[in-house]
Amino acid sequence: MDISTLSSYAVPVIVGICVCVGYVLHSVVSTDKVNKFIPLIMAVLGVCLNCWIATSVSPDIILGGMFSGLASTGMYEAFKQLIVGGSNAS
């Protein structure tokens, strides 16, 4: 299966919300005990948001929410560079 197939499941609103929530969570709680669960938290948040937006539950909606939430963890680095201004600070 080609990864471009999954890109059709990305919901930009959910990715944006999850990036912001993940950034705030990472900034507020800086321990590794919580940070290692951020992808799980974003996947669950993405599913909840997508079910809320679609007002139903189906495998496609669950996949779209999970994919969007997990994609936000990958976008975190780009978002951090935008906020921090290109410095290498953590």
Side-chain angles (χ1 to χ4, degrees):
M1 181 162 100
D2 188 18
I3 191 74
S4 64
T5 304
L6 290 176
S7 67
S8 65
Y9 286 99
V11 181
V13 171
I14 295 173
V15 174
I17 291 171
C18 288
V19 165
C20 294
V21 170
Y23 181 79
V24 169
L25 186 62
H26 182 75
S27 298
V28 171
V29 184
S30 59
T31 63
D32 285 337
K33 290 182 180 179
V34 174
N35 287 342
K36 69 179 181 180
F37 291 108
I38 289 178
L40 174 65
I41 294 168
M42 294 305 102
V44 171
L45 178 62
V47 169
C48 292
L49 287 171
N50 208 21
C51 288
W52 180 49
I53 290 169
T55 64
S56 66
V57 178
S58 74
D60 286 341
I61 291 170
I62 292 171
L63 176 61
M66 287 180 73
F67 185 76
S68 298
L70 291 173
S72 73
T73 61
M75 299 229 6
Y76 167 76
E77 284 299 320
F79 184 76
K80 184 173 78 169
Q81 292 300 319
L82 179 69
I83 296 297
V84 174
S87 70
N88 290 330
S90 308

